[in-house]
Amino acid sequence: MPAWRPADRPGNVLPPWELEVTPTVVISTALATRDFQDVHHDRDAAVRRGGRDIFLNILATTGLVQRYVTDWAGPGALVRGVAVRLGTPCYANDTLTFTGRAAPDTGGERVVTVSGRTARGEHVAATVRVTS
């Protein structure tokens, strides 16, 4: 039987997490994922290409989704799979709010659906498979 936290219940709603996406967050996560595409660190280039500002890359978004779920699941959690679908861009100086819901445990694994939203709409919809 997995060691889910005592407060966890099937269908549990995860607490929301708000992240202020500063320019430093955008740039540092792009560099950490070795993504040197200019739209993730050069505001002028991002605007020339139709953006409002620099924006998060997909690897940064995926990492934030995983962090959100593992913070909820606890230190023994192991991510078994992540599927993401990107929506609206998440620009520097946006607030990115994550919400989620965990399905019942099935054989030691939980499936967590996650949504990350900015003021313009859904930035990411994800499904995370996690064991503990």
Side-chain angles (χ1 to χ4, degrees):
M1 186 81 179
W4 301 110
R5 291 193 271 176
D8 186 25
R9 304 276 189 277
N12 194 29
V13 175
L14 281 65
W17 174 43
E18 285 190 357
L19 175 66
E20 297 301 321
V21 181
T22 65
T24 300
V25 168
V26 175
I27 294 166
S28 64
T29 57
L31 294 176
T33 59
R34 301 186 55 82
D35 184 343
F36 303 112
Q37 179 65 42
D38 56 8
V39 294
H40 304 303
H41 63 84
D42 181 335
R43 184 180 190 283
D44 293 341
V47 170
R48 266 194 317 274
R49 294 174 191 244
R52 191 186 85 204
D53 203 334
I54 58 176
F55 54 91
L56 286 178
N57 73 7
I58 191 169
L59 294 173
T61 297
T62 303
L64 293 170
V65 166
Q66 289 182 52
R67 176 191 168 179
Y68 175 61
V69 172
T70 58
D71 280 358
W72 164 79
L78 179 61
V79 174
R80 295 291 187 181
V82 180
V84 298
R85 188 187 76 226
L86 292 181
T88 62
C90 180
Y91 293 109
N93 300 308
D94 279 348
T95 299
L96 182 57
T97 303
F98 289 95
T99 57
R101 180 176 295 276
D105 181 345
T106 57
E109 183 174 275
R110 299 289 296 267
V111 175
V112 182
T113 55
V114 175
S115 176
R117 299 185 69 83
T118 68
R120 279 174 308 290
E122 189 169 58
H123 168 63
V124 63
T127 303
V128 181
R129 293 181 12 254
V130 64
T131 61
S132 174

